[in-house]
Amino acid sequence: MEVLSQLRIVEIGSSPATSYCARLFADFGADVQKVEPPTGDPLRRKAPLTPAGRSAWFAFLNFNKSSIMVDRADPDSVARVTALIEEADILVDGRDIDPAECPSIDVAAIRRRRPGLIYLDMSWFGRAGPYAEFVATDATVRALAGLIKLVGPVAGPPLYAPDFQTGILAGLWGFIATASSVVQRLQKAAGRSWSLSIFESTLTLSEYQMFESFGRGGRTHRLGINRFWPTFPVGIYKTREGWLGVTTVTLAQWRAFCDMLGLVELRDDPALVTGADRLQQLERIERQFMPRLNTRTAQEWFAEGLKRQIPIVPVPEISDLLEDEEKKARGAIVPIQLGGEEGLTPGSMQRLTRTPPRWGGKVPTLAERQPLANIRAPRSASLDGVEVGALPLHGIRVIDFSMGWAGPLCTRTLADLGADVIKIEAIQYPDWWRGVDRRPAYIDNQMYEKTPEFCIMNRNKRGVTLDLTQPQGLALAKRLLAGADIMIANYSVDVLPKLGLGYDVIRTLNPRLVMMSMSAFGVNSAYRNCRAYGSTLEQASGLPSVIGAADGPPLMGHIAFGDSVGGLNGCAAVLVALIHARNTGQGQFIDLAQVECMMPFAAPWITIYSIGGMPPPKYGNRHPHFVPHGCFRCAGEDNWIVVAATDEDMWRRLAILIDRPDWAMDASLKSADGRRAIEDLIEKGIEAWTLSRNADQAMSELQAVRVAAGVARLPIDLLKDRHLTSRGFLQQVERAFIGSHPQPSMPIREAAGPYPVRIPAPTLGEHNREILSGILGLSDREIAQLAKDGIIGTKMLSEAELAKQRKLPSDRQKA
């Protein structure tokens, strides 16, 4: 029986976010019933289209679901939809995005009758706040979320990827909310009611740069194509054959990169030690290394980089992904049927090994029911018994071996939802997001306690230090794991097995434990030894090949896109496995490859190419349906706004606002195709209007007449965003060493305000005594001896102290 086969989900309204949320349930066997009008979900008509005219986006978002056609004109339509919902476990509601002719439903009344029903309601900006009534598109939301302005040429305009990015991010958050509710409902609790802001979901990508700017106290600007603050080089570069993704963060990586290219002068330049140093001289550096890259192919450089442990990777075209047998074997790319067409699309990224997801499937035609693989058991009345009290994951214990962004975001989300997360670090090697600088001044001033990024990713957790290379530290870690529910690590694939913490060992300690490895490419991948950051994952995903101009290079959209996406997918995966463990007592291993988590963003182009064999279209800042659609310059220096007309009525209002009533009255411009013929002229007319206004004024005037528009914000601007302020999204938290600092909230909430941050991020080893004594029962004497032996501690070791400890006789090298 599939993990979620006893769940029934009803999906109403139309949005990529709700569709993706529901599809994640279908991946694991849930009966997902998609309510559509007689004309079908509007997403069925969204480009890019297959040769037979079917939407590749709709296919990706909806395979393995059943389509339930409901005609609002039918007097019995309300009763029919109500009956569907009352037989469901979860209702996913996208009507605020697009009602899709769904009849009016009294959800509150249904929940009173069915307190076990889990309800998820999505909207662009939430129910309250200055933006609550804004009309929006994927691109206008990303602009407001700080994800557009820093991408593209220095002179502008900012560039951005095609649609549906916000839908995938919000869909993941929606799944996390509802799946956590399923975990709690297994304890006979009532269903929970969630509201989700797509805008706030999208800020998961912005957090890093938002708080990096906060910590450094400065504003940023566009640096050019495939260049990103705060480090360099991080980008995509041309080789003799193919494109190469490059990321250098540490000094060792930078020096290895220079050695590989024979650039000794750059390697030894004391002015180029940090990424920030190199950013100041990026033009000079690129002039020297780019010609060297042109002497070999991307594959040849990749092979060389593997030897030197440099995070570099070939940047694939969509055709390369389809020829990748490893991705097909892992289920990262799976077969789907779209009517009479057969193609390929990204499968489930949640790679559970005991209870794997479905392997491909069928896209329903309108009103087509899917045959269920399993017979769904009757809904249990006992699920409707107990009121919601504690947080949904209260009572779940997580042992967190992760560092940086992706893993800590996964465990932070579990902690925010109530899990007891115990973060394992070592004074020898703490989380590298505390800083990798071991110079005396950095250590003596305890700068490793002052990095904003670490603090936002590790709130609501308890911290303990254990030297896992020592037998005593390893034994204590195993004792913690024996009593835990979940173990998460994002080290390189060989690290934990070499320490004696591989799944073969863990499952003998605790058969019900869910263990997840969050490596870059997967534990058995041919790329398993490739060093990777979030940027590497984006470079390797296929997404850059569909962004930008038709004749332009592959284009990155973010400094570390893959980290946050990997973290959310990891959280979704462990929740599915936890549901299985709670139902059966069986734990399992999850092999999450973070690069695969990026592939949904390129999903439709994978499908189109697999069916028709044609190179995917590149839209630039334009749109296959919305005309006009672009990023326009406003008054002042480097001020921009994204504007879109999504239908004929919006186009007419836009034309009147910019003082072109002749366009509004022109019958030939009623359709998007008609406007496409003079798109250049329309764009010039819009920019002539926006240039006479600052960006916020332009947005206010456009939104006042219900035209989709969003100012292209910088990430640091979000710290003072009026909408986020009004919703309490940024919470002020007090912490040792840094004092009061802002913390972003989850985008999912049950009340008017967000879940409060309960405790700040732990200082190094802050909870050693609390955990070792309170959970493991160690005495004060035993704890003192562990500190004396360097197994635990509260201060990071300097380079000299670390070198001295390495020379001490120990069993360290046996691990």
Side-chain angles (χ1 to χ4, degrees):
M1 182 177 290
E2 295 172 284
V3 177
L4 304 181
S5 61
Q6 295 192 29
L7 292 177
R8 177 171 292 162
I9 288 83
V10 171
E11 175 191 340
I12 59 176
S14 172
S15 82
T18 49
S19 287
Y20 192 51
C21 172
R23 196 212 105 168
L24 293 172
F25 281 98
D27 284 345
F28 288 93
D31 175 12
V32 178
Q33 301 188 359
K34 182 181 184 68
V35 176
E36 300 188 73
T39 55
D41 185 334
L43 293 175
R44 287 184 180 273
R45 298 179 284 280
K46 296 299 184 184
L49 303 176
T50 68
R54 299 181 178 92
S55 169
W57 267 123
F58 182 87
F60 167 73
L61 294 169
N62 291 287
F63 67 88
N64 285 327
K65 299 179 184 178
S66 289
S67 170
I68 310 296
M69 190 179 75
V70 175
D71 188 348
R72 188 170 57 181
D74 182 348
D76 296 328
S77 63
V78 172
R80 187 178 178 204
V81 176
T82 299
L84 284 173
I85 296 170
E86 290 192 337
E87 284 299 312
D89 299 284
I90 300 170
L91 173 61
V92 180
D93 188 348
R95 290 176 297 167
D96 194 73
I97 311 301
D98 186 338
E101 301 179 40
C102 183
S104 179
I105 307 296
D106 189 344
V107 175
I110 295 173
R111 295 195 74 245
R112 285 193 295 272
R113 295 192 296 271
R114 279 286 328 283
L117 179 69
I118 298 166
Y119 178 52
L120 174 68
D121 174 38
M122 294 196 189
S123 59
W124 282 117
F125 296 101
R127 296 298 183 190
Y131 303 164
E133 300 301 320
F134 275 16
V135 290
T137 66
D138 188 90
T140 62
V141 168
R142 279 185 282 147
L144 285 166
L147 295 175
I148 285 177
K149 192 169 185 178
L150 292 176
V151 181
V154 173
L159 301 176
Y160 47 90
D163 275 2
F164 292 84
Q165 290 200 0
T166 66
I168 292 170
L169 291 164
L172 282 163
W173 272 112
F175 181 82
I176 288 166
T178 48
S180 71
S181 302
V182 173
V183 171
Q184 189 187 43
R185 208 181 68 164
L186 293 174
Q187 308 305 309
K188 300 184 180 179
R192 304 182 87 103
S193 180
W194 299 93
S195 63
L196 183 150
S197 161
I198 294 176
F199 172 53
E200 290 169 16
S201 298
T202 308
L203 299 181
T204 310
L205 285 176
S206 309
E207 286 180 350
Y208 171 78
Q209 288 171 301
M210 188 192 316
F211 290 95
E212 181 81 23
S213 300
F214 168 77
R216 301 190 186 213
R219 295 177 69 81
T220 54
H221 57 275
R222 275 187 316 288
L223 300 175
I225 299 291
N226 290 321
R227 295 170 174 171
F228 297 91
W229 180 88
T231 192
F232 179 84
V234 176
I236 295 174
Y237 300 96
K238 195 174 187 307
T239 68
R240 191 178 73 200
E241 181 182 325
W243 297 85
L244 189 72
V246 175
T247 301
T248 62
V249 175
T250 68
L251 178 59
Q253 290 163 355
W254 165 246
R255 287 177 170 168
F257 181 66
C258 292
D259 281 338
M260 183 178 75
L261 297 175
L263 296 170
V264 179
E265 180 183 343
L266 289 181
R267 180 197 66 193
D268 296 334
D269 189 336
L272 302 179
V273 169
T274 70
D277 295 335
R278 298 190 289 274
L279 269 177
Q280 303 304 312
Q281 302 187 50
L282 59 84
E283 297 283 359
R284 175 174 78 89
I285 295 170
E286 281 188 346
R287 280 197 302 270
Q288 293 191 56
F289 79 69
M290 287 174 67
R292 301 289 180 98
L293 288 177
N294 260 314
T295 63
R296 301 176 76 176
T297 69
Q299 287 292 341
E300 288 170 341
W301 286 125
F302 173 64
E304 190 65 32
L306 278 178
K307 300 175 189 175
R308 300 170 184 265
Q309 299 186 339
I310 308 170
I312 59 177
V313 66
V315 177
E317 300 287 340
I318 296 299
S319 57
D320 298 323
L321 295 180
L322 290 168
E323 294 170 3
D324 189 331
E325 293 303 320
E326 178 180 291
K327 288 185 171 54
K328 294 177 184 177
R330 286 179 54 86
I333 296 178
V334 296
I336 55 167
Q337 296 178 0
L338 307 79
E341 296 176 295
E342 294 186 356
L344 298 169
T345 200
S348 172
M349 305 305 124
Q350 287 76 50
R351 190 68 44 221
L352 279 63
T353 55
R354 180 186 286 273
T355 56
R358 289 177 173 178
W359 200 275
K362 184 177 183 181
V363 182
T365 57
L366 187 60
E368 180 183 15
R369 300 263 187 161
Q370 295 277 16
L372 297 179
N374 299 290
I375 299 174
R376 180 176 181 268
R379 177 171 52 82
S380 171
S382 66
L383 296 177
D384 295 344
V386 183
E387 289 299 318
V388 172
L391 293 170
L393 298 183
H394 176 74
I396 303 298
R397 177 163 292 161
V398 181
I399 308 301
D400 179 8
F401 291 91
S402 68
M403 296 186 179
W405 187 352
L409 173 61
C410 171
T411 53
R412 183 191 82 181
T413 305
L414 297 172
D416 287 350
L417 290 166
D420 176 20
V421 176
I422 297 175
K423 184 177 179 68
I424 308 289
E425 297 182 84
I427 58 174
Q428 296 81 5
Y429 297 102
D431 187 328
W432 65 267
W433 246 16
R434 290 182 181 272
V436 295
D437 193 336
R438 289 186 181 271
R439 289 175 292 185
Y442 193 88
I443 301 297
D444 293 343
N445 293 320
Q446 292 183 270
M447 299 302 294
Y448 53 86
E449 297 290 9
K450 303 175 184 180
T451 53
E453 304 94 327
F454 176 86
C455 292
I456 65 167
M457 284 302 153
N458 292 285
R459 64 170 183 239
N460 288 334
K461 304 176 186 178
R462 297 192 287 171
V464 62
T465 50
L466 292 174
D467 184 353
L468 300 176
T469 66
Q470 295 278 26
Q472 304 101 305
L474 182 62
L476 292 169
K478 287 181 176 179
R479 289 177 62 187
L480 287 172
L481 290 166
D485 299 283
I486 297 169
M487 171 186 173
I488 292 172
N490 65 345
Y491 301 149
S492 297
V493 294
D494 293 327
V495 171
L496 287 179
K498 285 182 178 178
L499 288 170
L501 290 174
Y503 185 62
D504 58 335
V505 174
I506 299 303
R507 68 183 174 189
T508 64
L509 295 172
N510 184 350
R512 64 183 178 81
L513 185 80
V514 172
M515 176 180 175
M516 180 167 68
S517 166
M518 297 178 64
S519 64
F521 294 94
V523 294
N524 297 314
S525 171
Y527 284 17
R528 68 195 304 270
N529 295 318
C530 178
R531 294 294 189 270
Y533 292 97
S535 49
T536 318
L537 305 174
E538 181 183 2
Q539 293 158 357
S541 69
L543 179 62
S545 69
V546 301
I547 302 177
D551 57 351
L555 188 68
M556 288 176 62
H558 196 276
I559 180 65
F561 202 154
D563 279 306
S564 52
V565 174
L568 294 180
N569 275 277
C571 187
V574 295
L575 289 173
V576 175
L578 185 60
I579 292 168
H580 175 73
R582 285 296 168 105
N583 277 325
T584 66
Q586 298 175 336
Q588 62 181 299
F589 180 71
I590 303 172
D591 176 19
L592 188 92
Q594 291 188 56
V595 69
E596 294 172 2
C597 298
M598 286 295 302
M599 291 175 60
F601 296 95
W605 296 276
I606 292 172
T607 300
I608 295 298
Y609 200 104
S610 72
I611 296 174
M614 296 296 292
K618 294 176 73 171
Y619 306 128
N621 281 354
R622 289 180 172 176
H623 195 279
H625 291 291
F626 306 152
V627 183
H629 183 280
C631 191
F632 302 95
R633 190 185 298 272
C634 297
E637 183 179 353
D638 199 36
N639 292 320
W640 302 84
I641 187 170
V642 173
V643 180
T646 63
D647 57 35
E648 178 188 341
D649 289 339
M650 192 178 292
W651 156 249
R652 181 179 53 78
R653 295 192 299 271
L654 171 62
I656 292 171
L657 178 67
I658 65 173
D659 200 26
R660 290 303 304 259
D662 54 322
W663 283 350
M665 299 297 293
D666 190 335
S668 69
L669 301 180
K670 286 185 176 182
S671 70
D673 287 342
R675 297 191 292 276
R676 184 91 60 198
I678 61 164
E679 195 163 9
D680 288 341
L681 182 61
I682 291 172
E683 289 173 349
K684 289 177 182 177
I686 294 171
E687 190 147 283
W689 183 85
T690 58
L691 274 170
S692 65
R693 294 157 173 81
N694 68 49
D696 279 282
Q697 178 189 357
M699 181 173 71
S700 294
E701 292 186 41
L702 287 159
Q703 289 288 352
V705 296
R706 307 289 293 163
V707 171
V711 175
R713 304 274 191 220
L714 287 172
I716 197 171
D717 296 336
L718 300 170
L719 294 172
K720 296 182 178 179
D721 182 273
R722 59 194 175 100
H723 182 76
L724 297 177
T725 299
S726 75
R727 287 175 55 80
F729 179 80
L730 293 167
Q731 304 179 45
Q732 287 297 315
V733 175
E734 191 75 24
R735 181 182 180 274
F737 295 99
I738 61 173
S740 180
H741 65 286
Q743 284 274 350
S745 300
M746 287 194 297
I748 48 178
R749 55 179 70 182
E750 295 183 89
Y755 278 5
V757 175
R758 303 187 302 281
I759 58 173
T763 57
L764 192 62
E766 178 180 353
H767 302 102
N768 283 349
R769 182 173 299 277
E770 180 179 313
I771 291 166
L772 297 177
S773 175
I775 297 178
L776 300 184
L778 271 64
S779 67
D780 288 349
R781 182 179 178 182
E782 289 172 311
I783 293 171
Q785 187 63 46
L786 289 170
K788 182 179 179 180
D789 293 342
I791 306 301
I792 66 172
T794 57
K795 292 188 177 181
M796 179 179 172
L797 297 187
S798 68
E799 194 65 56
E801 291 170 324
L802 186 60
K804 180 180 178 181
Q805 192 179 87
R806 285 172 180 155
K807 294 178 182 178
L808 292 175
S810 73
D811 294 329
R812 181 182 311 277
Q813 300 305 320
K814 294 181 182 179

